Amino acid sequence: MEELQGSQTQSSLGQEDENEVITESSAFVKGEPAPEFSSNPPKVDSEVEVLHEKVTKQIIKEGHGQKPSKYSTCFFHYRAWAEKSEHKFEDTWLEQRPIEMVLGKEKKEMTGLSVGVASMKAGERALVRVGWELGYGEEGSFSFPNVPPKADLVYEVELIGFDETKEGKARSDMTVEERIGAADRRKMDGNALYQEEKLEEAMQQYEMAIAYMGDDFMFQLFGKYRDMALAVKNPCHLNMAACLIKLNRYEEAIGQCNTVLGEDENNVKALFRRGKARATFGQTDAAREDFLKATKYAPQDKAIAKELRLLAEHDKAVYQKQKEIYKGIFGPRPQPVPKPRNWLILIWQWLLSVFYGLVTLFKRERHKSD
């Protein structure tokens, strides 16, 4: 269930429409590597595009949006490998970060990546190969990540989206209020796209909103500022879960709810949505646990009661089906088969009984005469 913008953090699920989106909650989220990214660069058969003398690109997935301008702040996932080196390095986390696309302002080792990202469209995924001159240079890096000297790099990049200069300044130069405000605008854009059933585009907006409030930023916040940030950040994750459920990506939806429940284990909406994802994913026992726990904090909620009733009906149907299966396997209980009769034995037994009766009668008559 999703909720509209409001001031209550635990409003009744039963009073909301299932297609609504969350605009408030309380949770802190840590990003996880996207499952579609493998531990090695994928094989790409697309044509190599030369972006720079030291930078080439091959498209893995076509984008559906515009390209960022020279002064955009881009949000993207990436992983990196050292190419043609015995000592290979790989970023252990699939990062989600913004980078200001003004060459010379970003880190030196990001120059080649900046060239590659600047050529991409929103939603595009590509392999970007960068020569060592535009990477970590002649000396490499002996901190994190550990990159050997003169290492050519391979980046697997997915451009989530980008901000133009309408925000007025780079993310790193924003105040806390400005960053939260920029994230909130992204969240509202995502909500509008969700209502239009543009789920992939909505998730991009939610991801960019979350990127404004990374772990390093949240770690510095306390009190009301942390609450303000969480009121924007957490609904984005639950709204992403709603999108993922509609896209039948239940495992990812469960992960989004887990991040919320990691901070607020009694969050009714997160429990409800995770329960729905688990139930549809076939994890009925776990789904029932989520719904029962949610019932403790919202005992009158009709939506939760409905889901529990559906699970009970599902269990009953499964039991009946299993009963029919086992009945077909073992068949009906066999009836006792009567033994065949031997008529000679029966006649002999009858003659003996007659003889015994006559003998008994003769004895009685003799006894009377005596």
Side-chain angles (χ1 to χ4, degrees):
M1 295 295 295
E2 286 73 39
E3 61 177 303
L4 291 175
Q5 184 174 3
S7 59
Q8 297 180 354
T9 59
Q10 298 293 349
S11 60
S12 174
L13 294 169
Q15 297 175 353
E16 300 164 3
D17 187 273
E18 291 190 1
N19 292 323
E20 293 174 352
V21 292
I22 295 176
T23 56
E24 45 72 30
S25 182
S26 60
F28 177 80
V29 178
K30 181 176 181 179
E32 294 289 343
E36 66 269 23
F37 283 77
S38 61
S39 59
N40 293 302
K43 295 181 180 179
V44 182
D45 298 326
S46 62
E47 184 178 351
V48 175
E49 180 181 356
V50 179
L51 306 177
H52 182 277
E53 182 184 358
K54 299 295 180 181
V55 182
T56 62
K57 183 182 77 171
Q58 289 177 281
I59 296 175
I60 301 173
K61 173 187 173 185
E62 295 285 349
H64 51 74
Q66 297 179 342
K67 293 183 178 181
S69 69
K70 185 177 180 182
Y71 298 98
S72 297
T73 298
C74 296
F75 300 84
F76 55 91
H77 295 305
Y78 84 93
R79 301 188 83 167
W81 293 263
E83 191 175 29
K84 298 178 181 178
S85 171
E86 294 182 1
H87 176 85
K88 291 188 176 182
F89 95 95
E90 176 188 343
D91 281 353
T92 54
W93 283 97
L94 181 64
E95 298 193 31
Q96 181 185 50
R97 62 164 66 178
I99 177 173
E100 193 172 23
M101 299 303 298
V102 183
L103 298 182
K105 282 192 175 183
E106 70 281 323
K107 297 179 181 178
K108 179 181 178 182
E109 60 267 18
M110 303 293 285
T111 303
L113 180 59
S114 299
V115 174
V117 173
S119 70
M120 298 174 66
K121 295 180 179 180
E124 182 177 320
R125 186 175 162 200
L127 277 186
V128 178
R129 286 181 167 81
V130 177
W132 61 267
E133 295 89 346
L134 299 183
Y136 287 83
E138 185 174 4
E139 296 181 356
S141 172
F142 294 96
S143 59
F144 180 83
N146 189 357
V147 185
K150 292 187 177 181
D152 295 332
L153 306 176
V154 181
Y155 292 95
E156 186 179 356
V157 188
E158 180 180 3
L159 179 59
I160 302 168
F162 53 88
D163 271 336
E164 298 294 346
T165 52
K166 64 181 181 181
E167 301 296 351
K169 59 182 71 175
R171 185 192 68 152
S172 57
D173 297 330
M174 291 182 179
T175 64
V176 171
E177 292 88 346
E178 288 172 338
R179 287 177 71 160
I180 295 174
D184 188 57
R185 286 190 288 275
R186 285 292 182 188
K187 182 194 67 178
M188 297 304 293
D189 290 343
N191 292 351
L193 290 167
Y194 181 92
Q195 297 293 350
E196 297 174 7
E197 294 294 321
K198 298 178 180 178
L199 303 179
E200 294 285 357
E201 292 90 337
M203 287 196 296
Q204 288 180 354
Q205 296 298 321
Y206 295 138
E207 285 187 288
M208 285 189 281
I210 294 167
Y212 274 104
M213 294 171 289
D215 290 350
D216 56 340
F217 175 70
M218 296 298 296
F219 183 75
Q220 304 174 47
L221 300 183
F222 299 93
K224 70 172 185 177
Y225 289 111
R226 182 176 176 82
D227 294 338
M228 288 169 58
L230 291 175
V232 175
K233 184 176 185 181
N234 300 314
C236 291
H237 286 273
L238 291 176
N239 291 347
M240 286 181 66
C243 293
L244 291 165
I245 289 173
K246 285 194 171 188
L247 293 170
N248 300 325
R249 292 157 61 180
Y250 304 113
E251 193 169 5
E252 294 175 67
I254 292 169
Q256 293 290 336
C257 296
N258 286 341
T259 56
V260 177
L261 293 167
E263 281 293 316
D264 181 9
E265 63 180 359
N266 300 325
N267 187 294
V268 174
K269 299 180 189 305
L271 287 168
F272 180 84
R273 192 160 299 121
R274 187 174 71 174
K276 290 195 69 172
R278 282 175 163 177
T280 313
F281 199 46
Q283 302 174 354
T284 54
D285 290 339
R288 185 178 295 101
E289 290 180 7
D290 283 340
F291 291 136
L292 289 174
K293 187 173 182 180
T295 302
K296 294 180 181 179
Y297 303 99
Q300 303 300 323
D301 193 278
K302 295 180 180 179
I304 300 174
K306 178 184 176 182
E307 294 297 330
L308 285 170
R309 186 171 62 254
L310 290 174
L311 280 179
E313 293 174 357
H314 172 269
D315 290 344
K316 184 177 179 180
V318 170
Y319 172 77
Q320 291 296 334
K321 187 175 181 180
Q322 290 177 342
K323 187 176 179 181
E324 292 297 324
I325 291 173
Y326 291 136
K327 182 179 178 181
I329 292 175
F330 298 107
R333 179 178 294 179
Q335 298 295 327
V337 180
K339 296 180 180 180
R341 297 182 177 182
N342 191 321
W343 292 104
L344 291 175
I345 294 176
L346 291 174
I347 294 171
W348 175 249
Q349 289 176 344
W350 179 78
L351 290 173
L352 285 176
S353 64
V354 171
F355 176 77
Y356 178 77
L358 291 172
V359 171
T360 303
L361 181 63
F362 174 77
K363 287 181 179 180
R364 286 178 182 175
E365 292 296 330
R366 185 177 180 181
H367 180 72
K368 288 179 180 180
S369 63
D370 290 342

